[in-house]
Amino acid sequence: MIPQTEIELETWMKRHCYNFNSYSINGNAIYEGFGIDKTKGEYIWYYTESGIKENIKIFNTEKELIAYTFDQIQSDKWAKTHCIGMTTSKEEKMELSEELRKREIKFIQDEIPYFGPKRPAYRTFVLGCDKLKTKDLKRKYFKTL
């Protein structure tokens, strides 16, 4: 079923385990990302960063907005990612990747210069509802740096 309203879109996203970190759908707060606004009879798809909001596209109906938004979210490869691993240990990163392979769970790993180029942090993301299968791994491998 393709969502027709903002509430249906929110429900669809939750059912398919999309994350809401970068999407303000049905009023959830975000620091940075895309969102839906309704004002003066217009439906607005916007982007916000550092408290500055920029309207991207304005629609006359909620149905038009939701159709556009649905396509945008589905085409965003990061919209379904959930970070379950954050560590400065390369060994822990490798352990986590091996465990995910054993469980046949697809994942993405990257490296960011968290403490500068000489001491990176390693992040591991799983997709969609696989996050529900990895709660034990997140407890073990997601470190507060």
Side-chain angles (χ1 to χ4, degrees):
M1 177 187 100
I2 297 175
Q4 303 287 309
T5 66
E6 188 171 5
I7 291 171
E8 289 177 5
L9 178 61
E10 177 187 26
T11 301
W12 179 86
M13 287 178 72
K14 287 177 179 175
R15 188 177 310 121
H16 293 90
C17 302
Y18 278 74
N19 73 54
F20 285 81
N21 298 340
S22 298
Y23 290 101
S24 178
I25 306 298
N26 205 22
N28 66 298
I30 57 171
Y31 177 73
E32 179 180 313
F34 297 94
I36 293 174
D37 233 347
K38 294 172 244 171
T39 184
K40 299 178 186 173
E42 295 179 323
Y43 296 87
I44 302 165
W45 181 241
Y46 69 85
Y47 181 78
T48 185
E49 184 175 358
S50 303
I52 299 170
K53 190 186 283 189
E54 178 184 339
N55 293 344
I56 296 175
K57 198 159 174 122
I58 298 172
F59 301 88
N60 293 318
T61 69
E62 181 178 24
K63 188 175 180 178
E64 291 171 321
L65 166 74
I66 298 304
Y68 179 84
T69 302
F70 183 69
D71 287 343
Q72 295 297 302
I73 293 170
Q74 280 195 302
S75 66
D76 178 1
K77 83 172 194 171
W78 292 101
K80 283 185 88 165
T81 61
H82 302 278
C83 189
I84 63 155
M86 176 82 139
T87 181
T88 56
S89 165
K90 198 169 198 172
E91 292 76 27
E92 286 182 345
K93 169 195 153 191
M94 298 306 291
E95 283 175 24
L96 177 53
S97 64
E98 281 306 309
E99 185 59 37
L100 290 167
R101 282 187 192 97
K102 284 180 197 171
R103 296 182 187 193
E104 297 181 352
I105 295 174
K106 293 180 183 178
F107 62 95
I108 301 167
Q109 288 184 315
D110 69 5
E111 181 179 315
I112 58 172
Y114 201 76
F115 296 105
K118 296 193 188 271
R119 189 161 172 231
Y122 303 100
R123 300 184 302 177
T124 302
F125 301 88
V126 296
L127 306 176
C129 293
D130 280 345
K131 77 174 186 172
L132 303 173
K133 303 174 191 173
T134 58
K135 289 180 182 180
D136 61 316
L137 298 175
K138 185 170 183 174
R139 282 190 293 277
K140 183 175 180 181
Y141 293 103
F142 193 93
K143 313 290 172 129
T144 304
L145 305 179

